[in-house]
């Protein structure tokens, strides 16, 4: 992997992480899909068995875009000189010069990829040859008693702005005060940070189950944000409405966001919830999300340089400190490629 500074890693996303790239339906059989994620130009395609592959969108011959090439079932052919590469990044044929040294070489960077909960995930490692950390899904999107709908958006704002927004429960009582779920509760609160394995919970000390009252950040091979929003009885069975969110930078000023909207329902209650969501609730959720988008996209790119934080923002301070520390560690590892990268730093227990 090319050397990156700590600031570049903060802007484009830390490495040694799984990131969701796009909804699974974006990558269709027999087609080549080009996207940009974490500052990388990527090619996504499915082989004859339907397995998804994520590779650098760059022919190992002369650097032409493989996404402009030909899908050949279990390989991709560059349209420039016909060089063929398989799903492991191995050059399997050079039609213009059969038997040349390029044939048989693993010459194309290939990212470990998996599909879960309706999305394609890829591992962005510091060491391209190292095995990735297993991808661990939060319970609400892992199946079982939980059901979910994936909401996917791309916004014209740094991904850090959405991460800030997710770790800010207090904005629910203001920005979303006219929504069907976040109209109740007080407009003032005192927060605390509570340590958990691989992250922390940021929560109101004097209100629970009334509005957007707590949020959990987990960082263990992938970064997840989980929160609950209380639902009125008219919203059907399943208790509180849980959101699991994950973000992926596209570049320094754009990002992709994945919001899984979840409820713990099974049997006939699951069927009832799914019908109700599609016919009544989904449009309301999009309206709330549109409020977040408008706020994030309107913020200036130097917002962090001129902000004045207070007690409600202690989760932002904690999160940014952790990310900066890890970004400096990874930048140092990339600057010294001869040395094996140090293991990812665990998330330390926060202080109150």
């Amino acid at each position: 992997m090319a050397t990156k500074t700590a600031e570049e890693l903060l802007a484009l996303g830390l490495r040694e992480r799984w990131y969701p790239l796009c909804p699974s339906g974006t990558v269709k059989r027999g087609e080549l899909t080009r996207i940009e994620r974490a500052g990388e130009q990527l090619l996504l395609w499915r082989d004859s068995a339907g397995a998804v592959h994520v590779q650098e969108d760059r022919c190992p011959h002369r650097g032409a875009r493989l996404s402009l090439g030909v899908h050949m079932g279990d390989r991709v052919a560059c349209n420039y000189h016909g060089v063929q590469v398989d799903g492991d990044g191995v050059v399997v044929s050079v039609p213009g010069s059969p038997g040349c040294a390029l044939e048989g070489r693993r010459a194309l960077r290939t990212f470990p990829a998996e599909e879960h909960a309706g999305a394609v995930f890829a591992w962005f490692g510091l060491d391209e040859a190292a095995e990735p950390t297993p991808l661990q899904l939060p319970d609400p999107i892992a199946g079982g008693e939980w059901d979910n709908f994936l909401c996917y958006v791309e916004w014209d704002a740094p991904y850090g702005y959405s991460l800030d927004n997710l770790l800010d429960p207090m904005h629910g009582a203001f920005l979303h005060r006219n929504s069907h779920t976040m109209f109740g509760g007080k407009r003032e609160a005192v927060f605390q940070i509570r340590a958990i394995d691989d992250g922390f919970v940021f929560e109101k000390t004097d209100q629970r189950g009334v509005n957007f009252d707590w949020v959990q950040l987990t960082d263990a091979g992938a970064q997840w944000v989980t929160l609950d929003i209380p639902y009125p009885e008219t919203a059907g069975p399943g208790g509180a409405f849980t959101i699991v969110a994950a973000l992926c930078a596209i570049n320094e000023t754009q990002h992709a966001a994945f919001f899984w909207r979840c409820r713990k329902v099974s049997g006939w209650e699951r069927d009832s919830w799914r019908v109700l969501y599609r016919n009544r609730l989904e449009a309301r959720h999009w309206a709330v999300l549109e409020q977040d988008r408008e706020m994030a996209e309107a913020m200036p790119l130097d917002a962090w340089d001129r902000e004045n934080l207070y007690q409600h923002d202690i989760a932002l301070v904690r999160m940014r400190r952790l990310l900066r520390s890890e970004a400096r560690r990874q930048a140092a590892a990339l600057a010294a490629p001869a040395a094996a990268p140090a293991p990812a730093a665990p998330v330390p227990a926060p202080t109150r």
Side-chain angles (χ1 to χ4, degrees), residues 60-108:
H61 172 217
R62 293 265 298 280
R65 296 296 185 196
L66 283 174
S67 57
L68 297 175
V70 180
H71 191 298
M72 300 183 66
D74 291 316
R75 62 182 68 178
V76 174
C78 179
N79 218 24
Y80 202 11
H81 296 92
V83 173
Q84 299 174 19
V85 185
D86 69 12
D88 293 322
V90 176
V91 177
V92 293
S93 177
V94 180
S97 182
C100 73
L102 185 56
E103 285 190 344
R105 284 180 53 197
R106 187 170 186 175
L108 178 66

CSV table of all heavy atoms in Angstrom, one decimal, residues 60-108:
chain,number,residue,atom,x,y,z
A,60,PRO,N,-2.7,-4.5,-14.7
A,60,PRO,CA,-1.3,-4.6,-14.3
A,60,PRO,C,-0.3,-4.4,-15.5
A,60,PRO,O,0.9,-4.3,-15.3
A,60,PRO,CB,-1.2,-6.0,-13.8
A,60,PRO,CG,-2.3,-6.8,-14.3
A,60,PRO,CD,-3.4,-5.8,-14.5
A,61,HIS,N,-0.8,-4.4,-16.7
A,61,HIS,CA,0.1,-4.2,-17.9
A,61,HIS,C,0.5,-2.7,-18.0
A,61,HIS,O,1.6,-2.4,-17.8
A,61,HIS,CB,-0.7,-4.7,-19.2
A,61,HIS,CG,0.0,-4.3,-20.4
A,61,HIS,ND1,-0.6,-4.0,-21.6
A,61,HIS,CD2,1.4,-4.3,-20.7
A,61,HIS,CE1,0.2,-3.7,-22.5
A,61,HIS,NE2,1.5,-3.9,-22.1
A,62,ARG,N,-0.5,-1.8,-18.3
A,62,ARG,CA,-0.2,-0.4,-18.5
A,62,ARG,C,-1.0,0.5,-17.7
A,62,ARG,O,-1.0,1.7,-17.9
A,62,ARG,CB,-0.4,-0.1,-20.0
A,62,ARG,CG,0.6,-0.8,-21.0
A,62,ARG,CD,1.8,0.1,-21.3
A,62,ARG,NE,1.4,1.3,-21.9
A,62,ARG,CZ,1.1,1.4,-23.2
A,62,ARG,NH1,1.2,0.4,-24.0
A,62,ARG,NH2,0.7,2.6,-23.8
A,63,GLY,N,-1.8,0.0,-16.8
A,63,GLY,CA,-2.6,0.8,-15.9
A,63,GLY,C,-4.0,1.3,-16.5
A,63,GLY,O,-4.6,2.2,-15.9
A,64,ALA,N,-4.4,0.7,-17.6
A,64,ALA,CA,-5.7,1.1,-18.1
A,64,ALA,C,-6.8,0.6,-17.1
A,64,ALA,O,-6.6,-0.2,-16.3
A,64,ALA,CB,-5.9,0.4,-19.5
A,65,ARG,N,-8.0,1.2,-17.2
A,65,ARG,CA,-9.1,0.9,-16.4
A,65,ARG,C,-9.7,-0.5,-16.7
A,65,ARG,O,-10.3,-0.6,-17.8
A,65,ARG,CB,-10.2,2.0,-16.4
A,65,ARG,CG,-9.8,3.3,-15.9
A,65,ARG,CD,-9.4,3.3,-14.5
A,65,ARG,NE,-9.1,4.6,-13.9
A,65,ARG,CZ,-8.5,4.8,-12.8
A,65,ARG,NH1,-8.1,3.8,-12.0
A,65,ARG,NH2,-8.3,6.1,-12.4
A,66,LEU,N,-9.6,-1.4,-15.8
A,66,LEU,CA,-10.2,-2.7,-16.1
A,66,LEU,C,-11.7,-2.6,-16.2
A,66,LEU,O,-12.4,-3.5,-16.8
A,66,LEU,CB,-9.8,-3.7,-15.0
A,66,LEU,CG,-8.4,-4.3,-15.1
A,66,LEU,CD1,-8.1,-5.1,-13.9
A,66,LEU,CD2,-8.2,-5.1,-16.4
A,67,SER,N,-12.3,-1.6,-15.5
A,67,SER,CA,-13.8,-1.5,-15.6
A,67,SER,C,-14.3,-1.2,-17.0
A,67,SER,O,-15.5,-1.3,-17.2
A,67,SER,CB,-14.2,-0.4,-14.6
A,67,SER,OG,-13.5,0.8,-14.9
A,68,LEU,N,-13.4,-0.8,-17.9
A,68,LEU,CA,-13.7,-0.5,-19.3
A,68,LEU,C,-13.5,-1.8,-20.1
A,68,LEU,O,-13.6,-1.7,-21.3
A,68,LEU,CB,-12.9,0.6,-19.8
A,68,LEU,CG,-13.1,2.0,-19.2
A,68,LEU,CD1,-12.1,3.0,-19.8
A,68,LEU,CD2,-14.5,2.5,-19.3
A,69,GLY,N,-13.2,-2.9,-19.4
A,69,GLY,CA,-12.9,-4.1,-20.2
A,69,GLY,C,-14.1,-5.0,-20.4
A,69,GLY,O,-15.2,-4.6,-20.5
A,70,VAL,N,-13.8,-6.3,-20.4
A,70,VAL,CA,-14.8,-7.3,-20.8
A,70,VAL,C,-14.9,-8.4,-19.7
A,70,VAL,O,-13.9,-8.9,-19.2
A,70,VAL,CB,-14.4,-8.1,-22.1
A,70,VAL,CG1,-15.5,-9.1,-22.5
A,70,VAL,CG2,-14.3,-7.0,-23.2
A,71,HIS,N,-16.1,-8.6,-19.2
A,71,HIS,CA,-16.4,-9.6,-18.2
A,71,HIS,C,-16.4,-11.0,-18.9
A,71,HIS,O,-17.2,-11.2,-19.8
A,71,HIS,CB,-17.8,-9.4,-17.5
A,71,HIS,CG,-18.0,-10.2,-16.3
A,71,HIS,ND1,-18.1,-11.6,-16.3
A,71,HIS,CD2,-18.2,-9.8,-15.0
A,71,HIS,CE1,-18.4,-12.0,-15.1
A,71,HIS,NE2,-18.4,-11.0,-14.3
A,72,MET,N,-15.6,-11.9,-18.5
A,72,MET,CA,-15.4,-13.2,-19.1
A,72,MET,C,-15.8,-14.4,-18.2
A,72,MET,O,-15.3,-15.5,-18.3
A,72,MET,CB,-14.0,-13.4,-19.6
A,72,MET,CG,-13.6,-12.3,-20.7
A,72,MET,SD,-11.9,-12.6,-21.3
A,72,MET,CE,-12.2,-14.2,-22.2
A,73,GLY,N,-16.7,-14.1,-17.3
A,73,GLY,CA,-17.2,-15.2,-16.4
A,73,GLY,C,-16.4,-15.3,-15.1
A,73,GLY,O,-16.8,-14.9,-14.1
A,74,ASP,N,-15.2,-15.9,-15.2
A,74,ASP,CA,-14.3,-16.0,-14.0
A,74,ASP,C,-13.0,-15.2,-14.2
A,74,ASP,O,-12.1,-15.4,-13.4
A,74,ASP,CB,-14.0,-17.5,-13.8
A,74,ASP,CG,-15.2,-18.3,-13.3
A,74,ASP,OD1,-15.9,-17.8,-12.4
A,74,ASP,OD2,-15.4,-19.4,-13.8
A,75,ARG,N,-13.0,-14.3,-15.1
A,75,ARG,CA,-11.9,-13.4,-15.3
A,75,ARG,C,-12.4,-12.1,-16.0
A,75,ARG,O,-13.5,-12.1,-16.5
A,75,ARG,CB,-10.8,-14.1,-16.1
A,75,ARG,CG,-11.2,-14.5,-17.5
A,75,ARG,CD,-10.2,-15.2,-18.3
A,75,ARG,NE,-9.9,-16.5,-17.8
A,75,ARG,CZ,-9.0,-17.4,-18.3
A,75,ARG,NH1,-8.3,-17.0,-19.4
A,75,ARG,NH2,-8.8,-18.6,-17.8
A,76,VAL,N,-11.5,-11.1,-16.0
A,76,VAL,CA,-11.8,-9.9,-16.6
A,76,VAL,C,-10.7,-9.6,-17.6
A,76,VAL,O,-9.5,-9.8,-17.3
A,76,VAL,CB,-11.8,-8.7,-15.6
A,76,VAL,CG1,-12.0,-7.4,-16.3
A,76,VAL,CG2,-13.0,-8.9,-14.6
A,77,ALA,N,-11.1,-9.2,-18.8
A,77,ALA,CA,-10.1,-8.9,-19.9
A,77,ALA,C,-10.0,-7.3,-20.1
A,77,ALA,O,-11.0,-6.7,-20.2
A,77,ALA,CB,-10.5,-9.5,-21.2
A,78,CYS,N,-8.8,-6.8,-20.0
A,78,CYS,CA,-8.6,-5.4,-20.3
A,78,CYS,C,-8.9,-5.1,-21.7
A,78,CYS,O,-8.5,-5.9,-22.6
A,78,CYS,CB,-7.2,-5.0,-19.9
A,78,CYS,SG,-6.8,-3.3,-20.3
A,79,ASN,N,-9.6,-4.0,-22.0
A,79,ASN,CA,-10.0,-3.7,-23.4
A,79,ASN,C,-8.9,-3.1,-24.2
A,79,ASN,O,-9.0,-2.9,-25.4
A,79,ASN,CB,-11.2,-2.8,-23.4
A,79,ASN,CG,-12.2,-3.1,-24.5
A,79,ASN,OD1,-12.2,-4.2,-25.0
A,79,ASN,ND2,-13.0,-2.1,-24.9
A,80,TYR,N,-7.8,-2.7,-23.5
A,80,TYR,CA,-6.7,-2.0,-24.2
A,80,TYR,C,-5.8,-3.0,-24.9
A,80,TYR,O,-5.6,-2.8,-26.1
A,80,TYR,CB,-5.8,-1.3,-23.1
A,80,TYR,CG,-5.0,-0.1,-23.6
A,80,TYR,CD1,-5.2,0.4,-24.9
A,80,TYR,CD2,-4.1,0.5,-22.8
A,80,TYR,CE1,-4.4,1.4,-25.3
A,80,TYR,CE2,-3.3,1.5,-23.2
A,80,TYR,CZ,-3.5,2.0,-24.5
A,80,TYR,OH,-2.7,3.1,-24.9
A,81,HIS,N,-5.3,-4.1,-24.3
A,81,HIS,CA,-4.5,-5.1,-24.9
A,81,HIS,C,-4.9,-6.5,-24.7
A,81,HIS,O,-4.2,-7.5,-24.9
A,81,HIS,CB,-3.0,-4.9,-24.5
A,81,HIS,CG,-2.4,-3.6,-24.9
A,81,HIS,ND1,-2.4,-2.5,-24.1
A,81,HIS,CD2,-1.8,-3.2,-26.1
A,81,HIS,CE1,-1.8,-1.5,-24.7
A,81,HIS,NE2,-1.4,-1.9,-25.9
A,82,GLY,N,-6.1,-6.7,-24.0
A,82,GLY,CA,-6.6,-8.0,-23.9
A,82,GLY,C,-6.1,-8.8,-22.7
A,82,GLY,O,-6.4,-10.0,-22.6
A,83,VAL,N,-5.3,-8.2,-21.9
A,83,VAL,CA,-4.7,-8.9,-20.7
A,83,VAL,C,-5.8,-9.4,-19.8
A,83,VAL,O,-6.7,-8.6,-19.5
A,83,VAL,CB,-3.7,-8.0,-19.9
A,83,VAL,CG1,-3.3,-8.7,-18.6
A,83,VAL,CG2,-2.5,-7.7,-20.8
A,84,GLN,N,-5.8,-10.7,-19.4
A,84,GLN,CA,-6.9,-11.3,-18.6
A,84,GLN,C,-6.4,-11.5,-17.2
A,84,GLN,O,-5.3,-12.1,-16.9
A,84,GLN,CB,-7.3,-12.5,-19.2
A,84,GLN,CG,-7.9,-12.3,-20.6
A,84,GLN,CD,-8.2,-13.6,-21.4
A,84,GLN,OE1,-8.4,-14.7,-20.7
A,84,GLN,NE2,-8.3,-13.6,-22.7
A,85,VAL,N,-7.2,-11.1,-16.2
A,85,VAL,CA,-6.9,-11.3,-14.8
A,85,VAL,C,-8.1,-12.0,-14.1
A,85,VAL,O,-9.2,-11.7,-14.4
A,85,VAL,CB,-6.7,-9.9,-14.1
A,85,VAL,CG1,-6.3,-10.0,-12.7
A,85,VAL,CG2,-5.7,-9.1,-14.9
A,86,ASP,N,-7.8,-12.9,-13.2
A,86,ASP,CA,-8.8,-13.6,-12.5
A,86,ASP,C,-9.2,-13.0,-11.1
A,86,ASP,O,-8.6,-11.9,-10.8
A,86,ASP,CB,-8.4,-15.1,-12.3
A,86,ASP,CG,-7.3,-15.3,-11.3
A,86,ASP,OD1,-6.9,-14.4,-10.6
A,86,ASP,OD2,-6.8,-16.5,-11.2
A,87,GLY,N,-10.1,-13.6,-10.4
A,87,GLY,CA,-10.6,-13.0,-9.2
A,87,GLY,C,-9.5,-12.9,-8.1
A,87,GLY,O,-9.8,-12.2,-7.1
A,88,ASP,N,-8.4,-13.6,-8.2
A,88,ASP,CA,-7.3,-13.5,-7.2
A,88,ASP,C,-6.3,-12.5,-7.6
A,88,ASP,O,-5.3,-12.4,-6.9
A,88,ASP,CB,-6.7,-14.9,-7.0
A,88,ASP,CG,-7.6,-15.9,-6.4
A,88,ASP,OD1,-8.4,-15.5,-5.5
A,88,ASP,OD2,-7.6,-17.1,-6.8
A,89,GLY,N,-6.5,-11.9,-8.7
A,89,GLY,CA,-5.5,-10.9,-9.2
A,89,GLY,C,-4.4,-11.5,-10.0
A,89,GLY,O,-3.4,-10.8,-10.3
A,90,VAL,N,-4.5,-12.7,-10.4
A,90,VAL,CA,-3.5,-13.4,-11.2
A,90,VAL,C,-3.7,-13.2,-12.7
A,90,VAL,O,-4.8,-13.3,-13.2
A,90,VAL,CB,-3.4,-14.9,-10.9
A,90,VAL,CG1,-2.4,-15.6,-11.8
A,90,VAL,CG2,-3.1,-15.2,-9.4
A,91,VAL,N,-2.6,-12.8,-13.4
A,91,VAL,CA,-2.7,-12.6,-14.8
A,91,VAL,C,-2.7,-14.0,-15.4
A,91,VAL,O,-1.7,-14.8,-15.4
A,91,VAL,CB,-1.5,-11.8,-15.4
A,91,VAL,CG1,-1.6,-11.7,-16.9
A,91,VAL,CG2,-1.5,-10.4,-14.7
A,92,VAL,N,-3.9,-14.4,-16.0
A,92,VAL,CA,-4.0,-15.8,-16.6
A,92,VAL,C,-3.7,-15.9,-18.1
A,92,VAL,O,-3.5,-17.0,-18.6
A,92,VAL,CB,-5.4,-16.3,-16.2
A,92,VAL,CG1,-5.6,-16.5,-14.8
A,92,VAL,CG2,-6.5,-15.4,-16.8
A,93,SER,N,-3.7,-14.7,-18.7
A,93,SER,CA,-3.5,-14.7,-20.2
A,93,SER,C,-3.0,-13.4,-20.7
A,93,SER,O,-3.6,-12.3,-20.3
A,93,SER,CB,-4.7,-15.2,-20.9
A,93,SER,OG,-4.5,-15.1,-22.3
A,94,VAL,N,-2.0,-13.4,-21.5
A,94,VAL,CA,-1.6,-12.2,-22.3
A,94,VAL,C,-1.7,-12.5,-23.7
A,94,VAL,O,-0.7,-13.0,-24.3
A,94,VAL,CB,-0.1,-11.8,-21.9
A,94,VAL,CG1,0.3,-10.5,-22.6
A,94,VAL,CG2,0.0,-11.5,-20.4
A,95,PRO,N,-2.8,-12.3,-24.4
A,95,PRO,CA,-3.0,-12.8,-25.7
A,95,PRO,C,-2.0,-12.2,-26.7
A,95,PRO,O,-1.6,-12.9,-27.7
A,95,PRO,CB,-4.4,-12.2,-26.1
A,95,PRO,CG,-5.1,-12.1,-24.8
A,95,PRO,CD,-4.0,-11.7,-23.8
A,96,GLY,N,-1.5,-11.0,-26.5
A,96,GLY,CA,-0.5,-10.5,-27.5
A,96,GLY,C,0.9,-11.0,-27.3
A,96,GLY,O,1.7,-10.9,-28.2
A,97,SER,N,1.2,-11.7,-26.2
A,97,SER,CA,2.5,-12.2,-26.0
A,97,SER,C,2.4,-13.5,-25.1
A,97,SER,O,2.8,-13.5,-23.9
A,97,SER,CB,3.4,-11.2,-25.4
A,97,SER,OG,4.7,-11.7,-25.2
A,98,PRO,N,1.8,-14.6,-25.6
A,98,PRO,CA,1.6,-15.8,-24.8
A,98,PRO,C,2.9,-16.3,-24.2
A,98,PRO,O,4.0,-16.3,-24.8
A,98,PRO,CB,1.1,-16.8,-25.8
A,98,PRO,CG,0.5,-15.9,-26.9
A,98,PRO,CD,1.3,-14.7,-27.0
A,99,GLY,N,2.9,-16.7,-22.9
A,99,GLY,CA,4.1,-17.2,-22.2
A,99,GLY,C,5.0,-16.2,-21.7
A,99,GLY,O,6.1,-16.5,-21.1
A,100,CYS,N,4.6,-14.9,-21.8
A,100,CYS,CA,5.5,-13.8,-21.3
A,100,CYS,C,5.6,-13.9,-19.7
A,100,CYS,O,4.8,-14.6,-19.1
A,100,CYS,CB,5.1,-12.5,-21.7
A,100,CYS,SG,3.6,-11.8,-21.0
A,101,ALA,N,6.5,-13.2,-19.1
A,101,ALA,CA,6.7,-13.2,-17.7
A,101,ALA,C,5.5,-12.7,-16.9
A,101,ALA,O,5.4,-13.1,-15.7
A,101,ALA,CB,8.0,-12.4,-17.3
A,102,LEU,N,4.7,-11.9,-17.5
A,102,LEU,CA,3.5,-11.4,-16.8
A,102,LEU,C,2.5,-12.5,-16.5
A,102,LEU,O,1.8,-12.5,-15.5
A,102,LEU,CB,2.9,-10.3,-17.6
A,102,LEU,CG,1.7,-9.5,-16.9
A,102,LEU,CD1,2.1,-8.9,-15.6
A,102,LEU,CD2,1.2,-8.4,-17.8
A,103,GLU,N,2.4,-13.5,-17.4
A,103,GLU,CA,1.4,-14.6,-17.1
A,103,GLU,C,1.8,-15.4,-15.9
A,103,GLU,O,3.0,-15.7,-15.6
A,103,GLU,CB,1.4,-15.5,-18.4
A,103,GLU,CG,0.7,-14.9,-19.6
A,103,GLU,CD,0.5,-15.9,-20.7
A,103,GLU,OE1,1.1,-17.0,-20.6
A,103,GLU,OE2,-0.4,-15.7,-21.5
A,104,GLY,N,0.8,-15.7,-15.1
A,104,GLY,CA,1.0,-16.5,-13.9
A,104,GLY,C,1.3,-15.6,-12.7
A,104,GLY,O,1.4,-16.2,-11.6
A,105,ARG,N,1.6,-14.3,-12.8
A,105,ARG,CA,1.9,-13.5,-11.7
A,105,ARG,C,0.6,-12.9,-11.0
A,105,ARG,O,-0.3,-12.6,-11.7
A,105,ARG,CB,2.7,-12.3,-12.2
A,105,ARG,CG,4.2,-12.6,-12.4
A,105,ARG,CD,4.9,-11.4,-12.9
A,105,ARG,NE,4.7,-10.3,-11.9
A,105,ARG,CZ,5.0,-9.0,-12.2
A,105,ARG,NH1,5.4,-8.7,-13.4
A,105,ARG,NH2,4.8,-8.1,-11.3
A,106,ARG,N,0.7,-12.9,-9.7
A,106,ARG,CA,-0.4,-12.2,-9.0
A,106,ARG,C,0.0,-10.7,-9.0
A,106,ARG,O,0.7,-10.2,-8.1
A,106,ARG,CB,-0.5,-12.7,-7.6
A,106,ARG,CG,-1.7,-12.2,-6.9
A,106,ARG,CD,-2.0,-12.9,-5.5
A,106,ARG,NE,-3.2,-12.5,-4.9
A,106,ARG,CZ,-3.8,-13.0,-3.8
A,106,ARG,NH1,-3.2,-14.0,-3.3
A,106,ARG,NH2,-4.9,-12.5,-3.3
A,107,ALA,N,-0.6,-10.0,-9.9
A,107,ALA,CA,-0.1,-8.6,-10.2
A,107,ALA,C,-1.1,-7.5,-10.0
A,107,ALA,O,-0.8,-6.4,-10.2
A,107,ALA,CB,0.4,-8.5,-11.6
A,108,LEU,N,-2.3,-7.9,-9.5
A,108,LEU,CA,-3.4,-6.9,-9.3
A,108,LEU,C,-3.8,-7.0,-7.9
A,108,LEU,O,-4.2,-8.0,-7.3
A,108,LEU,CB,-4.6,-7.3,-10.2
A,108,LEU,CG,-5.8,-6.3,-10.1
A,108,LEU,CD1,-5.5,-4.9,-10.6
A,108,LEU,CD2,-7.0,-6.9,-10.9
